[in-house]
Amino acid sequence: MIDRRKVRDAFGRQAHEYDAHAAVQKRVIGRFMKILEAEGRAPRRLLDVGAGTGMLLGSLRHLYGDAFAVGIDLALGMNQAARQNLQTDGRCQVMTADAERLPFAAESFDLVLSTSTFQWLTTLDAAFGEAFRVLAPGGLFFFSLFGGQTLHELRSSYRRALVAAGCPEDNRSHTFFSENDVTAALERAGLKNCRTLSEQDIDLHADVPFLLRTLKRIGAGSASPHTLRGLAGKRVMLEMMDGYRREYGKQSGIPATYEIIYGMGEKAC
């Protein structure tokens, strides 16, 4: 079970560092915008769920200059950063809200979008159901999230270290949704013409501690292993880092794989 309060607080604390370290998330937004532009939509009202520091919302405002745009995020610190980064005027609003309980009337938006957010939910059903509710007939729900192969090197190295320490039951590493999970959730929400696409992005880091620091600096420490306290915990983490280097290390550094799942569906007219 994901502790949403811890996730919210972690991202809120790291909002000031997020843009400097979110290299993968920036590349995802670039790919996301190309897919979206190819859809040929002309929304009058759009909603960015999990807007963070406003990177996607800024690109959306550039593409759809006449649209009324709203960005929401659960983390207050992220919203403060977004307001600083964006020109929030009468055509753009940023507010604190929960993806699973959107504070909008039914059929309020022509386009609902999100990047790199939904992987922090325990299930997708509530958020996808809310996206369906606030979409106007004919509207598009389009999102990306990190899928099941994300950080598989880190998670498998951690599992092996726990087994070596004799405590495999203490594995509390983050679990990501699969492409099948995403497709099924879209269909359960009542969306039509559902499509998904899975791609991989491999990020290189100098070493395992650098990777762990990067995850923490963007607020994604919840994706890192949470191990035992004290000497036992230290031994597990050292074994995890040694195993990671042995299994996956290269001259250029250690790879961290991200699976990006893009999904979309339409609300029937």
Side-chain angles (χ1 to χ4, degrees), residues 5-21:
R5 290 175 299 178
K6 288 184 178 180
V7 172
R8 176 199 64 196
D9 293 346
F11 278 98
R13 285 193 302 271
Q14 299 305 128
H16 66 290
E17 289 193 275
Y18 184 88
D19 288 356
H21 299 283

Side-chain angles (χ1 to χ4, degrees), residues 1-14 74-75 120 172 219-222 226 229:
M1 179 68 70
I2 297 170
D3 189 329
R4 299 281 304 287
R5 290 175 299 178
K6 288 184 178 180
V7 172
R8 176 199 64 196
D9 293 346
F11 278 98
R13 285 193 302 271
Q14 299 305 128
L74 193 61
W120 300 115
R172 292 174 285 161
S222 298
H226 296 272
R229 295 181 181 274

Side-chain angles (χ1 to χ4, degrees), residues 91-153:
R91 305 296 296 170
C92 180
Q93 294 181 4
V94 175
M95 56 194 297
T96 303
D98 190 335
E100 297 182 320
R101 291 183 291 275
L102 296 175
F104 307 109
E107 303 182 1
S108 294
F109 299 97
D110 308 304
L111 185 59
V112 176
L113 311 109
S114 179
T115 61
S116 308
T117 295
F118 293 136
Q119 68 272 358
W120 300 115
L121 301 176
T122 302
T123 71
L124 296 171
D125 288 343
F128 283 18
E130 280 291 271
F132 179 85
R133 182 183 66 81
V134 302
L135 267 180
L140 178 70
F141 177 38
F142 178 39
F143 60 90
S144 69
L145 55 79
F146 291 120
Q149 290 301 305
T150 297
L151 299 175
H152 72 84
E153 303 94 343

Side-chain angles (χ1 to χ4, degrees), residues 71-86:
I72 68 147
D73 201 283
L74 193 61
L76 179 60
M78 286 291 187
N79 291 320
Q80 291 171 338
R83 292 189 186 100
Q84 291 175 354
N85 292 336
L86 296 167

